[in-house]
């Protein structure tokens, strides 16, 4: 698989004012903006063509993945090799593409914008606000690709077990079987806790064949009046397509940067894991909490 799509067109309203004039995907977690972790995860997994589905005020994201020749030259002249190394990611062998979602009609509508980019190939969708694994060390996408190749699926989705009170924040699976890899009988977008078929929540990574676009074409507005990707997956299953789920491992945390609480937690965890400053930060936090 060589193509991936990263939707980054959301308004980030739950993170205002930090996201007033910059995308939430550009907020730093530790040393890097969130979206850089996602791009690095994808490139490590062999992806080299990445389409961002953007919205207004996403220029800083485009600049981040472009080479800043002036900065490189200045650092080179000053012999700042260590800082030049920090910019290595923009020399990674990936090609970046951008298209605008011109109306915010939902995640399903955003994915629809990738139709001509992906053509007839299967592709990955990685949501731009979720990092999988501390410092994005997860190989979940490779495990999903393995499942895709082995099982002749039309879609493979990553799932994470969440507490009961969180099911109403996610797409939730109705699995056919137990296990780390399972087939889906159904999927429901943000169910009420009492009606939830399981605790397995969509964890921001998907693989699709282009049949998703036919399903999206037939998807009517759902939760929140938006065209939901989950509803299109449901249509695929109803059409008889095989859709599989792959669970995150227990030690494979998913950092969903959806609100300030989850953002603060992710930042602290990544900062504590920082090679240079992690230990002193841990000591500092202990002094704050009086331990
Ligand atoms: C979206 C999807 C949802 C999924 C979630 C993962 O929701 O609609 O099914 O579980 O991403 O992060 P959002 O977070 O955009 O409300």
């Amino acid at each position: 698989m060589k193509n991936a799509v990263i939707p980054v067109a959301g308004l980030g309203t739950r993170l205002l004012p930090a996201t007033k004039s910059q995308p939430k995907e550009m907020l730093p977690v530790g040393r890097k903006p969130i979206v850089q972790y996602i791009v690095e995860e994808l490139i490590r997994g062999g992806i080299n063509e990445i389409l961002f589905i953007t919205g207004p005020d996403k220029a800083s994201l485009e600049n981040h993945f472009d080479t800043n020749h002036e900065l490189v030259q200045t650092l080179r002249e000053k012999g700042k090799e260590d800082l030049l190394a920090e910019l290595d990611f923009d020399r990674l062998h990936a090609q970046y593409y951008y298209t605008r979602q011109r109306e915010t009609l939902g995640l399903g509508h955003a994915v629809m914008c990738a139709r001509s980019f992906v053509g007839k190939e299967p592709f990955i969708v990685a949501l731009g606000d979720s990092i999988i694994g501390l410092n994005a060390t997860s190989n979940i996408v490779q495990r999903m690709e393995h499942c895709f190749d082995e099982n002749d699926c039309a879609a493979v989705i990553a799932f994470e077990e969440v507490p009961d009170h969180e099911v109403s924040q996610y797409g939730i699976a109705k699995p056919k079987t137990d296990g780390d890899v399972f087939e889906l009988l159904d999927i429901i977008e943000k169910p009420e806790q009492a009606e939830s078929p399981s605790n397995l929540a969509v964890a921001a990574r998907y693989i699709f064949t282009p049949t998703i676009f036919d399903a999206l074409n037939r998807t009517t507005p759902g939760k929140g009046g938006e065209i939901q990707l989950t509803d299109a997956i449901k249509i695929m299953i109803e059409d008889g397509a095989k859709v599989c789920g792959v669970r995150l491992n227990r030690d494979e945390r998913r950092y969903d940067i959806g609100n300030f609480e989850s953002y603060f937690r992710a930042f602290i965890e990544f900062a504590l894991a920082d090679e240079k400053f992690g230990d002193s930060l841990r000591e500092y936090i202990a002094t704050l909490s009086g331990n």
Side-chain angles (χ1 to χ4, degrees):
M1 217 159 295
K2 64 180 180 57
N3 291 331
V5 175
I6 308 184
V8 289
L11 296 176
T13 44
R14 282 176 292 171
L15 290 162
L16 280 170
T19 51
K20 180 166 179 279
S21 63
Q22 67 166 343
K24 70 172 168 181
E25 297 80 9
M26 283 299 291
L27 293 178
V29 170
R31 293 183 180 228
K32 303 174 188 174
I34 298 164
V35 68
Q36 188 182 329
Y37 291 104
I38 296 164
V39 164
E40 288 177 354
E41 171 198 323
L42 292 171
I43 293 175
R44 250 197 342 267
I47 296 296
N48 50 20
E49 309 265 312
I50 298 176
L51 172 70
F52 293 96
I53 313 286
T54 71
D57 294 327
K58 304 286 175 175
S60 62
L61 192 143
E62 295 188 21
N63 292 338
H64 191 71
F65 291 100
D66 194 6
T67 304
N68 182 337
H69 293 285
E70 212 180 310
L71 178 62
V72 168
Q73 171 121 8
T74 310
L75 294 176
R76 200 163 279 147
E77 279 167 13
K78 293 188 171 159
K80 304 261 186 203
E81 291 302 321
D82 52 336
L83 296 180
L84 277 168
E86 292 298 335
L87 301 178
D88 258 0
F89 73 92
D90 65 29
R91 282 184 259 156
L92 295 171
H93 295 292
Q95 193 65 43
Y96 304 106
Y97 303 85
Y98 303 88
T99 192
R100 283 257 185 139
Q101 183 187 14
R102 290 155 78 185
E103 292 168 283
T104 43
L105 298 180
L107 179 60
H109 178 257
V111 171
M112 198 66 174
C113 300
R115 188 171 198 162
S116 49
F117 169 76
V118 299
K120 294 186 176 4
E121 301 286 322
F123 64 103
I124 291 164
V125 172
L127 303 188
D129 58 3
S130 285
I131 304 169
I132 316 271
L134 186 63
N135 288 323
T137 43
S138 162
N139 65 354
I140 182 66
V141 169
Q142 285 98 310
R143 281 162 23 226
M144 290 164 68
E145 278 191 51
H146 183 72
C147 170
F148 180 81
D149 294 339
E150 294 285 297
N151 295 298
D152 194 23
C153 302
V156 179
I157 303 162
F159 285 95
E160 172 198 44
E161 217 167 302
V162 297
D164 288 346
H165 67 275
E166 287 184 14
V167 291
S168 59
Q169 299 170 27
Y170 297 107
I172 302 290
K174 181 175 185 186
K176 190 169 173 181
T177 49
D178 288 337
D180 290 341
V181 177
F182 55 89
E183 198 177 329
L184 263 76
L185 288 176
D186 198 2
I187 186 164
I188 299 164
E189 180 68 4
K190 305 190 174 116
E192 294 300 326
Q193 194 174 318
E195 282 144 30
S196 188
S198 77
N199 283 40
L200 292 170
V202 173
R205 300 291 181 271
Y206 311 77
I207 296 177
F208 293 116
T209 58
T211 51
I212 187 68
F213 298 119
D214 302 324
L216 279 167
N217 259 335
R218 286 183 277 140
T219 304
T220 50
K223 275 267 148 75
E226 297 189 340
I227 306 286
Q228 296 291 350
L229 186 57
T230 304
D231 292 342
I233 299 165
K234 193 182 179 71
I235 291 176
M236 286 172 101
I237 299 172
E238 283 164 7
D239 284 349
K242 187 167 181 184
V243 175
C244 287
V246 178
R247 275 180 192 242
L248 298 187
N249 296 330
R250 290 203 182 281
D251 59 351
E252 208 166 29
R253 287 278 304 283
R254 166 195 183 211
Y255 301 91
D256 174 9
I257 322 289
N259 54 51
F260 278 112
E261 189 184 20
S262 60
Y263 175 57
F264 292 159
R265 286 185 180 183
F267 196 103
I268 289 175
E269 226 175 300
F270 279 56
L272 286 172
D274 190 88
E275 264 184 30
K276 192 165 176 195
F277 299 113
D279 288 342
S280 62
L281 179 65
R282 189 166 290 103
E283 284 167 24
Y284 177 66
I285 291 176
T287 64
L288 293 180
S289 54
N291 294 318

